[in-house]
Amino acid sequence: MNNRYKILVVEDEANIRNFVMTLLEANDYQAIGASSCREAQLMFLSHRPDLVILDLGLPDLDGTTFLKEIRKESNTPVIVLSARSDETDKVYALDIGANDYVTKPFGSAEFVARVRSALRSTQLSGSNANLPGGKFESDGLMIVYDSRQVLIDGVEIKLTQTEYNILALLSKHPGKVLTYSFIIKSIWGYDDYGSTKKLQVNMANIRKKFGAKPGKKNYIFNELGVGYRMCEPNEA
Ligand code: CA
């Protein structure tokens, strides 16, 4: 009986695929590989992996085609591998359901941290955020959803309705990059010219109220040109 997480690595470049698979095995995950979209589809159905690492540039079909198929039937976390030139593809992949992305070339430690976080996010998706008494807690930050209160080290931070809504949304998807467009549509219901600016202004205000300073704990990470990511909650 094998209880290790099974991870499907879809990448056509053999050296990158082997590097990723070796890295995963070294960290006690079980890695299986596919070098094309078609092969990945078959592997996904027969192996039911716990996580998929997906290169977007595949020889037969675009990786996003496979991602859409996965999302039709499951919440299996997907981390997209993209080249630096694929900025638009990366945002598109997040918008259609990728949990995270890693830009090539990437470091081993960062990659393994993303894998761990994506696997944890599926366990957290059934978390208590929407239940009565639901809270988010991470390193001194506490969000109390019922009363819409935000505290840092026990001191209440006064946020506007919009600022609170943005923070609550991010905290309900900890560790996951939410794209500008996803946040904007969730908060304002529409995405028009100037929306990104509006979001950035609100985020700047939240950070200011949080007292974000170099060297201080950052609760919200800015993924430049893509979106924002909330830190992970403390282990319960
Ligand atoms: Ca490729």
Side-chain angles (χ1 to χ4, degrees):
M1 186 62 200
N2 191 338
N3 289 321
R4 291 189 301 163
Y5 282 117
K6 197 188 284 177
I7 303 179
L8 172 60
V9 181
V10 190
E11 166 65 77
D12 57 320
E13 283 170 70
N15 56 338
I16 301 180
R17 187 176 63 246
N18 292 335
F19 168 73
V20 170
M21 289 177 70
T22 306
L23 183 60
L24 291 171
E25 294 280 355
N27 283 275
D28 214 26
Y29 296 108
Q30 187 190 344
I32 48 176
S35 58
S36 69
C37 204
R38 300 238 182 270
E39 195 187 345
Q41 289 163 331
L42 294 174
M43 301 277 274
F44 185 81
L45 293 175
S46 53
H47 289 273
R48 292 287 159 194
D50 301 293
L51 171 71
V52 178
I53 310 289
L54 180 62
D55 175 34
L56 291 181
L58 293 166
D60 50 354
L61 289 165
D62 193 276
T64 55
T65 310
F66 178 45
L67 172 57
K68 277 188 216 159
E69 286 171 8
I70 296 176
R71 278 295 162 270
K72 265 185 220 158
E73 57 160 302
S74 83
N75 288 320
T76 308
V78 176
I79 298 177
V80 160
L81 291 182
S82 74
R84 204 163 285 280
S85 53
D86 296 339
E87 197 75 10
T88 337
D89 293 359
K90 197 157 74 183
V91 173
Y92 175 64
L94 288 167
D95 275 333
I96 61 172
N99 293 62
D100 204 350
Y101 67 89
V102 174
T103 306
K104 293 187 258 189
F106 47 84
S108 314
E110 185 206 354
F111 183 79
V112 173
R114 296 291 178 89
V115 165
R116 205 170 287 138
S117 163
L119 285 167
R120 204 178 297 143
S121 71
T122 38
Q123 295 157 356
L124 289 172
S125 58
S127 75
N128 65 3
N130 296 312
L131 299 173
K135 282 191 188 102
F136 177 91
E137 287 186 76
S138 182
D139 278 308
L141 170 69
M142 189 195 283
I143 304 171
V144 187
Y145 296 114
D146 281 351
S147 55
R148 298 170 66 90
Q149 274 177 308
V150 179
L151 299 103
I152 292 182
D153 297 327
V155 179
E156 186 166 1
I157 309 291
K158 291 283 177 202
L159 297 179
T160 65
Q161 290 294 327
T162 304
E163 289 162 6
Y164 173 82
N165 290 341
I166 294 169
L167 181 67
L169 176 71
L170 285 165
S171 72
K172 286 174 185 180
H173 302 87
K176 183 178 189 309
V177 184
L178 301 188
T179 64
Y180 298 131
S181 138
F182 178 85
I183 300 171
I184 288 164
K185 283 184 191 137
S186 308
I187 300 296
W188 289 285
Y190 57 89
D191 185 357
D192 63 7
Y193 181 76
S195 291
T196 306
K197 184 80 202 146
K198 194 158 63 174
L199 173 60
Q200 285 167 340
V201 168
N202 275 282
M203 285 304 305
N205 288 337
I206 296 172
R207 280 158 184 269
K208 208 184 294 166
K209 291 178 184 180
F210 276 18
K213 287 188 190 83
K216 257 195 99 175
K217 168 91 188 166
N218 268 326
Y219 298 109
I220 302 165
F221 303 97
N222 190 0
E223 303 286 339
L224 223 60
V226 178
Y228 297 98
R229 175 206 303 272
M230 188 81 192
C231 63
E232 287 180 36
N234 295 342
E235 303 284 338

